[in-house]
Amino acid sequence: EAGVVQSPRYKIIEKKQPVAFWCNPISGHNTLYWYLQNLGQGPELLIRYENEEAVDDSQLPKDRFSAERLKGVDSTLKIQPAELGDSAVYLCASSRTVDNEQFFGPGTRLTVL
Amino acid sequence: GESVGLHLPTLSVQEGDNSIINCAYSNSASDYFIWYKQESGKGPQFIIDIRSNMDKRQGQRVTVLLNKTVKHLSLQIAATQPGDSAVYFCAEISGNTPLVFGKGTRLSVIA
């Protein structure tokens, strides 16, 4: 069984530019999560989807961040415009339901110059 | 002691020795705890979990101990191997709240 797939693995952009990350969860997993992980810290939840519905986005900075999961499968996370402080690893995870084990992807490492 | 930002607590052990990684959690209402292992360039990987109605759970080479009185969780790794070198995070869940990760500990295994 393939794991959670994320792309790109690395992204370097200049501040004020837009950037997008893509996640393909494990097949059959209804719940999808986006996390932010700063260097030396544990992941912090940005948004959680149940199928195509965002059920917890309280930690998502909505002035510049947006996410979508249009068909309840793949998801994209976008930042526009990016700021220097957005440099971090963006992790995607999925689980069968919200009560099941989460499986994490390898993450996208974003560097904003 | 506590470390912030780039300065992860580090534990160095000799190959073959046992490792004990500690975690203090904050929410006394948390009812489910998980230990994750994160290798460089990878996402966190589930190791073992424990519910709040238990105080000990064993897996293959790993044991998790839970002390709810002092809100303390530990991960014991028996016969530590070079492949165990990674950053280890504890995480807690309370009801329907999101998974909350604690500060990580970097385990370095000396061959």
Side-chain angles (χ1 to χ4, degrees), chain A residues 81-101:
Chain A
E83 297 179 352
L84 295 176
D86 296 330
S87 295
V89 174
Y90 291 83
L91 292 163
C92 179
S94 71
S95 60
R96 288 195 180 278
T97 70
V98 68
D99 294 326
N100 295 118
E101 176 185 343

Side-chain angles (χ1 to χ4, degrees), chain A residues 41-52:
Chain A
Q41 302 289 319
E44 299 172 34
L45 182 69
L46 289 171
I47 189 168
R48 171 168 66 93
Y49 281 93
E50 294 292 339
N51 299 301
E52 65 274 10

Side-chain angles (χ1 to χ4, degrees), chain A residues 69-81:
Chain A
R69 192 185 185 199
L70 292 175
K71 297 183 179 179
V73 181
D74 294 3
S75 177
T76 56
L77 177 69
K78 298 178 181 178
I79 308 175
Q80 183 171 11

Side-chain angles (χ1 to χ4, degrees), chain A residues 9 37 39-42 56 101 105, chain B residues 5-6 8 38 41 43 46 89 98:
Chain A
R9 290 297 315 277
Q37 186 174 27
L39 190 62
Q41 302 289 319
D56 184 355
E101 176 185 343
Chain B
L6 297 176
L8 282 173
Q38 188 171 24
F46 174 96
F89 292 97

